Amino acid sequence: MELNRIIEGMREELVDLLTRWIAVPSVKADALPGAPFGEEVRRMLHMALEDGEKMGFTTRNIDEYAGDLRMGKLGVEPLGILAHLDVVPAGDGWQTPPFEPVQADDRIFGRGTSDDKGPAIAALLAMKAVKDAGIPLRREVRLILGCDEESGWEDMQYYCTHCDMPKTGFSPDASYPVINTEKGMLHLSLRAPYCVDGLEVKEINVGERCNVIPGNATALIAGSEDDCDRINRLADDMMVQVEAEYLGEHTVRLISTGIPGHAAYPEAAKNALGQLLIMLRALGASGELKTLADTVGMESDGCGLGIRCSDETSGGLTCNLGILRYNAKDGLYATLDIRYPILCKWEALLAAATAALGKGISVTVDEQKDPHHVAPSSELVTALLDAYHEVTGRPRECVATGGGTYARCLEEGVAFGSAFPEDEELAHQAGEYASIEGLMQNIAIFARAIVLLAGE
């Protein structure tokens, strides 16, 4: 088949595109004139659109907030494929430079390889394969490339306001087979004054994003060199990975080591910040730091906050303590990322969490997204499952996720790819990589999906 032959010849092009795209550190930064998410994100958007234009697609830059690449019968029932070009900060723990792609056998290492530049490139090359094969299309196929998925989704808000958002489609920003259910999302900010009682905690400055599980966390406390020996023995007794070192001037630094990860998948990570709070509590920290240790700590199911719940369709609630700032001048600031089942009401979760945290901590809602569900019997889901099965031979089934993808922007949208069921969770983690063979298989799956959903 001509389409398969074309795809088989795309390996070199795939590697070239991924290598160039990963070299752009497209982490959201302060807005500049003509660059709402910073210069590097703008540079990444321009690179992607220029690559698409060279392939023969009709491209649009939506005022630097997002872009799209279109083919087929423009304006006719667009099939949306939504991916993003921004990435989370590199974080700690990398063995290779996160923005200098390194290829080792079948793998390419770098921030964004799996989330979400690799999948975006796979979708782009799938469109190119369908176009080069001369397959006639009865509707428009549109790849939308966002620039603010990892933060506030201002890109999609702007796109929806200034463009016609497709009604149906998929986002290659999760895993196979088809994710037709996405949990609700509730991001909370916590604030409290500094506590002068108990252990003197001089400073905590941990975390960069609400939706990232911190893999490392440190705190400065008052103490002596002798205190370090005591704390290290205590850490061994408690079986926690926290180490104390004396810095001089009656200051001890606590270093907590965990496993970084994505807030939606806490089972694959270990929250170093929660571990740090538990140690601070054991050393005599009081006030709101103790409250956070008591109510959150290293739990990821919301039990201490009184919000643990689950349903058969979407599974259990998850809760992540992603950021903590604490000092005598500014007091306490922290964030919670809560992913909740589709049968839950976020207002009830907010009330329960606020009550558990107590009057000493003020709670504000930074972001809330309702759960998202598409019927497994829909034409969209059926076609995507067929494409997945035809290319891989694997079973057709729908699953739920705590992750939030651009699929929510569509009336009828699902997450489709790009990770396979046996793949390890790599999003937001140090050492993120993409399998070249896996991305090649993604190209074939996406191309088949386009033919089934948009072909004549």
Side-chain angles (χ1 to χ4, degrees):
M1 184 178 178
E2 180 68 6
L3 180 60
N4 292 337
R5 184 191 65 78
I6 291 172
I7 293 172
E8 289 171 1
M10 285 182 157
R11 184 178 298 267
E12 184 175 337
E13 186 173 12
L14 166 67
V15 172
D16 173 69
L17 286 168
L18 187 57
T19 300
R20 287 192 295 106
W21 287 25
I22 295 305
V24 181
S26 50
V27 178
K28 183 179 181 179
D30 293 339
L32 299 171
F37 309 117
E39 176 56 37
E40 294 296 347
V41 176
R42 177 172 64 181
R43 181 159 73 97
M44 184 63 253
L45 177 61
H46 286 201
M47 180 182 292
L49 293 178
E50 288 168 6
D51 287 336
E53 190 170 2
K54 290 175 184 177
M55 295 177 189
F57 298 117
T58 301
T59 64
R60 297 187 297 186
N61 183 330
I62 315 302
D63 299 331
E64 311 294 349
Y65 280 80
D68 61 29
L69 307 96
R70 299 177 293 162
M71 70 175 188
K73 294 186 177 179
L74 303 190
V76 178
E77 300 180 51
L79 170 67
I81 306 173
L82 283 69
H84 65 91
L85 301 174
D86 61 310
V87 299
V88 297
D92 301 317
W94 286 80
Q95 301 300 310
T96 61
F99 296 110
E100 297 177 20
V102 173
Q103 183 173 349
D105 298 324
D106 178 57
R107 296 177 176 180
I108 296 182
F109 292 84
R111 174 59 83 217
T113 46
S114 67
D115 183 24
D116 189 36
K117 293 179 182 179
I121 290 170
L124 175 63
L125 291 179
M127 290 173 60
K128 182 175 186 288
V130 171
K131 181 177 70 67
D132 291 352
I135 297 174
L137 300 175
R138 58 181 170 81
R139 60 191 292 199
E140 176 185 324
V141 177
R142 183 187 306 180
L143 174 60
I144 301 173
L145 299 173
C147 296
D148 189 36
E149 196 273 347
E150 298 290 5
S151 297
W153 287 32
E154 291 181 45
D155 53 349
M156 290 299 103
Q157 295 172 22
Y158 193 91
Y159 190 96
C160 289
T161 301
H162 294 79
C163 296
D164 60 311
M165 177 63 76
K167 293 183 178 180
T168 185
F170 65 91
S171 177
D173 191 21
S175 59
Y176 292 113
V178 166
I179 295 176
N180 69 321
T181 301
E182 295 187 8
K183 296 176 185 177
M185 300 173 63
L186 183 62
H187 289 174
L188 305 179
S189 282
L190 316 179
R191 291 176 174 84
Y194 183 80
C195 179
V196 297
D197 298 326
L199 176 72
E200 183 185 348
V201 180
K202 298 183 176 183
E203 182 181 21
I204 302 174
N205 186 7
V206 177
E208 297 177 274
R209 295 288 176 87
C210 181
N211 61 355
V212 176
I213 298 172
N216 295 283
T218 62
L220 299 180
I221 65 173
S224 65
E225 193 165 2
D226 289 340
D227 289 327
C228 291
D229 294 334
R230 177 177 62 87
I231 293 169
N232 289 331
R233 288 195 301 270
L234 178 61
D236 289 340
D237 292 341
M238 294 173 60
M239 293 185 291
V240 294
Q241 289 183 274
V242 178
E243 181 181 357
E245 62 178 15
Y246 186 60
L247 302 181
E249 299 183 355
H250 201 61
T251 299
V252 171
R253 175 161 53 206
L254 301 180
I255 304 169
S256 173
T257 303
I259 301 173
H262 192 297
Y265 312 107
E267 64 279 359
K270 179 181 180 181
N271 194 315
L273 178 51
Q275 183 175 244
L276 179 66
L277 284 171
I278 289 172
M279 174 55 77
L280 289 171
R281 180 181 62 187
L283 295 175
S286 59
E288 278 60 52
L289 286 179
K290 181 179 183 301
T291 298
L292 281 181
D294 292 342
T295 57
V296 183
M298 294 182 68
E299 292 179 355
S300 61
D301 61 359
C303 181
L305 290 167
I307 58 174
R308 182 170 61 182
C309 58
S310 65
D311 63 40
E312 186 175 351
T313 299
S314 47
L317 176 146
T318 62
C319 179
N320 176 58
L321 179 64
I323 297 173
L324 178 58
R325 312 272 185 258
Y326 187 73
N327 58 62
K329 178 183 177 182
D330 302 315
L332 179 147
Y333 168 77
T335 65
L336 293 177
D337 179 315
I338 298 168
R339 313 288 172 109
Y340 60 93
I342 61 175
L343 296 183
C344 290
K345 299 295 184 183
W346 71 267
E347 296 91 345
L349 299 175
L350 175 62
T354 301
L357 290 166
K359 295 181 179 179
I361 297 179
S362 67
V363 181
T364 56
V365 177
D366 292 335
E367 185 177 15
Q368 186 274 324
K369 291 187 176 76
D370 291 334
H372 180 74
H373 179 74
V374 175
S377 59
S378 67
E379 178 185 354
L380 171 70
V381 172
T382 301
L384 294 178
L385 289 176
D386 284 347
Y388 175 72
H389 176 73
E390 290 172 15
V391 173
T392 68
R394 301 187 184 210
R396 301 173 175 88
E397 59 182 355
C398 292
V399 295
T401 183
T405 72
Y406 283 153
R408 297 168 182 264
C409 300
L410 306 172
E411 288 185 19
E412 187 180 62
V414 298
F416 184 57
S418 70
F420 293 93
E422 69 276 10
D423 291 344
E424 60 181 319
E425 176 54 48
L426 298 169
H428 300 185
Q429 296 201 30
E432 179 184 352
Y433 69 85
S435 159
I436 298 172
E437 186 58 41
L439 289 176
M440 288 294 295
Q441 198 166 27
N442 270 275
I443 296 172
I445 295 170
F446 296 156
R448 183 57 182 153
I450 290 171
V451 172
L452 290 176
L453 287 165
E456 290 185 351

